Amino acid sequence: MTQSMFHPAAPQAEAPAVPQVSIVLPCYNAADTLQATLDSLLAQTRTDWEAICVDDGSTDATRTILADAALRDRRIRLMRNPGRGPSAARNAGAQAAQGRILAFLDADDLWAPQKIDRLVAAFAGTGSGPATDGVFARVAFFRTDPAAPGTVSARPQATLDVATLLGENPVCTMSNLALRRDLFVEAGGFDEGMVHAEDLELLIRLVGGGARIQGLDEVLVSYRTSAAGLSSDLSAMAAGRAAALATARRLGHSPCRRAEAIHLRYLARRALRLSAGRVTALTLALRGLRASPRGFFSPPRRGGLVAAGALAALVLPRPVNRALFAR
């Protein structure tokens, strides 16, 4: 991981001497959504945190927003990572972090006010049982109003395993992941050559190496869906997953037909949400059904909704498709 230069600032609010949680927030041309993201941090019920905001060469007002926020609150720090990509930005922020817990937040997502409180409690544990190396929770997906999400991610299993990751990543977004900072550093951080599925590749590397990453049955993140986002490029997502699978194979794990079916169902659902052509979702769904009907319909309701949506997309007018599936 490479070092970046801090932006000089003269903040007024006091920062915790040793923050419990360091939040790494990569930003690139995020002026339209960034203030709402920062507001969700400032609304946290727990205050002993720092936010390392890494500007990745923005050309809009992103840097101004960050600089103003840093002037008002010493817990917010601004770094530069000019145009090196989100993985490098996150690595740079992690290298500058001081907290024992490292949490990630994207510049268009929002955290529930109790998010940091829940993280600290989960990492503290109860004094019995194995230690926690990482934490994730449930995610609400919205387009314009976070109070009216279209869908919410499934209830997570107790701990992540590689078999689950090879099907569908329940963490969903980097804004939903927190790790022990020393574990992240020891693992080498993100693969800076990846811009898609870099989170999946890291999780496979960590879990495949024995890390215990715990799921919390509580919605703590609101994820802003966008047709212009990185996760809207289905072909690039497939290429990123191929790199993550290569890591899994090096660790002795290969996807079974059931996992392939679940992944293809996920891609079909993404295609429906993004209105990615009338036949794209159906093609992906049929591939998933051929790989493993049982996997595709596990659980039955999710598989059934995706299959029905893929068929309906063939005949419904495009505005109706968008209204039904874009959320």
Side-chain angles (χ1 to χ4, degrees):
M1 297 185 288
T2 55
Q3 181 70 46
S4 298
M5 295 296 295
F6 282 99
H7 176 76
Q12 298 173 356
E14 287 301 317
V18 181
Q20 281 272 5
V21 178
S22 293
I23 301 135
V24 176
L25 201 162
C27 307
Y28 175 71
N29 286 350
D32 291 342
T33 60
L34 177 58
Q35 189 59 59
T37 300
L38 292 172
D39 288 344
S40 79
L41 280 183
L42 296 172
Q44 291 297 304
T45 55
R46 190 176 184 111
T47 60
D48 54 340
W49 52 264
E50 64 173 354
I52 303 167
C53 304
V54 188
D55 177 48
D56 200 26
S58 298
T59 56
D60 64 358
T62 292
R63 191 166 180 80
T64 299
I65 294 170
L66 293 175
D68 288 346
L71 283 170
R72 292 192 300 270
D73 195 313
R74 188 180 289 273
R75 295 172 299 177
I76 297 172
R77 304 159 67 190
L78 174 55
M79 295 178 65
R80 289 184 294 176
N81 184 69
R84 298 184 58 236
S87 292
R90 292 185 182 109
N91 284 346
Q95 184 174 349
Q98 302 176 75
R100 66 183 184 89
I101 300 169
L102 189 64
F104 298 94
L105 175 61
D106 289 341
D108 53 355
D109 296 335
L110 308 171
W111 277 1
Q114 70 273 25
K115 162 88 171 179
I116 294 178
D117 252 327
R118 297 295 192 267
L119 290 181
V120 173
F123 277 95
T126 61
S128 62
T132 295
D133 298 307
V135 174
F136 68 102
R138 302 179 71 185
V139 179
F141 297 86
F142 75 99
R143 287 187 69 82
T144 57
D145 183 3
T151 58
V152 175
S153 63
R155 178 179 298 178
Q157 63 194 57
T159 55
L160 269 183
D161 55 45
V162 175
T164 298
L165 289 167
L166 292 178
E168 186 171 7
N169 179 5
V171 178
C172 300
T173 169
M174 280 305 305
S175 298
N176 191 29
L177 180 63
L179 297 166
R180 284 182 18 237
R181 181 170 59 88
D182 58 348
L183 174 69
F184 179 85
V185 172
E186 289 167 10
F190 292 98
D191 182 338
E192 297 188 3
M194 298 180 67
V195 293
H196 292 276
E198 71 277 13
D199 54 340
L200 177 61
E201 194 275 340
L202 174 67
L203 286 167
I204 289 173
R205 210 175 341 129
L206 292 174
V207 174
R212 183 176 184 270
I213 299 181
Q214 171 188 353
L216 303 179
D217 187 13
E218 184 175 1
V219 177
L220 296 178
V221 177
S222 293
Y223 176 91
R224 191 187 305 269
T225 61
S226 168
L230 284 175
S231 60
S232 66
D233 190 336
L234 296 178
S235 60
M237 287 174 65
R241 182 172 184 264
L245 291 182
T247 294
R249 291 189 182 97
R250 286 196 297 272
L251 295 170
H253 301 273
S254 294
C256 62
R257 295 180 68 84
R258 181 180 184 277
E260 281 298 304
I262 292 172
H263 175 67
L264 288 163
R265 182 187 67 196
Y266 163 75
L267 291 179
R269 193 167 74 248
R270 292 291 307 172
L272 288 170
R273 287 178 180 167
L274 297 168
S275 301
R278 289 189 179 275
V279 300
T280 303
L282 183 60
T283 299
L284 291 165
L286 289 173
R287 285 175 56 195
L289 286 166
R290 283 196 297 270
S292 170
R294 181 174 295 182
F296 191 90
F297 287 106
S298 175
R301 182 177 181 275
R302 183 176 297 185
L305 288 174
V306 172
L311 287 169
L314 295 177
V315 295
L316 292 177
R318 192 173 295 275
V320 176
N321 269 335
R322 187 173 298 112
L324 289 174
F325 304 120
R327 295 177 70 189

